[in-house]
Amino acid sequence: RTAASRQIKLINKFTEEMASNGIAVKGFETYIGDADTLYHMGYAYSRMAKLYPEEAKGLTIAYSYTKDDDVYVWFDYQTKTIHFSKTKFKKSYY
């Protein structure tokens, strides 16, 4: 398999896993980071959804840009969205 097809499979698995826990995913179709990061994110958010189902309900995980170069992750309380910086997570490890 090509690196691109492995990356697509990885992203699809992450998106499906999050959906099964009631968590929406946005912007990750362009994710080019490493598999370990996505695996650990999936594990952490799946566990959180099981331990705190009310808090996880309606949550979104987004792969977004920010103007602040020092920020890796931020939370928008109004939209219940956890944003991961495309700038910080743009390295390709596959």
Side-chain angles (χ1 to χ4, degrees):
R1 286 190 298 187
T2 67
S5 67
R6 284 192 306 268
Q7 196 69 4
I8 290 167
K9 184 177 178 182
L10 174 72
I11 294 164
N12 288 341
K13 181 179 178 187
F14 174 72
T15 301
E16 290 168 10
E17 182 181 2
M18 293 301 92
S20 73
N21 286 295
I23 299 171
V25 174
K26 291 183 179 177
F28 276 86
E29 59 277 353
T30 61
Y31 177 79
I32 56 171
D34 67 6
D36 281 344
T37 299
L38 218 49
Y39 168 79
H40 290 294
M41 285 172 58
Y43 176 79
Y45 290 114
S46 293
R47 183 158 167 74
M48 181 194 70
K50 286 174 181 53
L51 292 172
Y52 307 103
E54 286 303 310
E55 288 81 358
K57 187 177 183 180
L59 190 67
T60 299
I61 299 172
Y63 193 48
S64 311
Y65 284 109
T66 179
K67 293 178 183 178
D68 189 340
D69 291 338
D70 295 327
V71 173
Y72 282 82
V73 179
W74 69 98
F75 183 69
D76 182 330
Y77 289 96
Q78 291 180 323
T79 62
K80 285 187 72 176
T81 302
I82 300 169
H83 295 271
F84 287 85
S85 171
K86 283 187 175 186
T87 304
K88 294 294 186 181
F89 292 94
K90 70 180 177 182
K91 282 191 167 181
S92 177
Y93 295 97
Y94 55 87

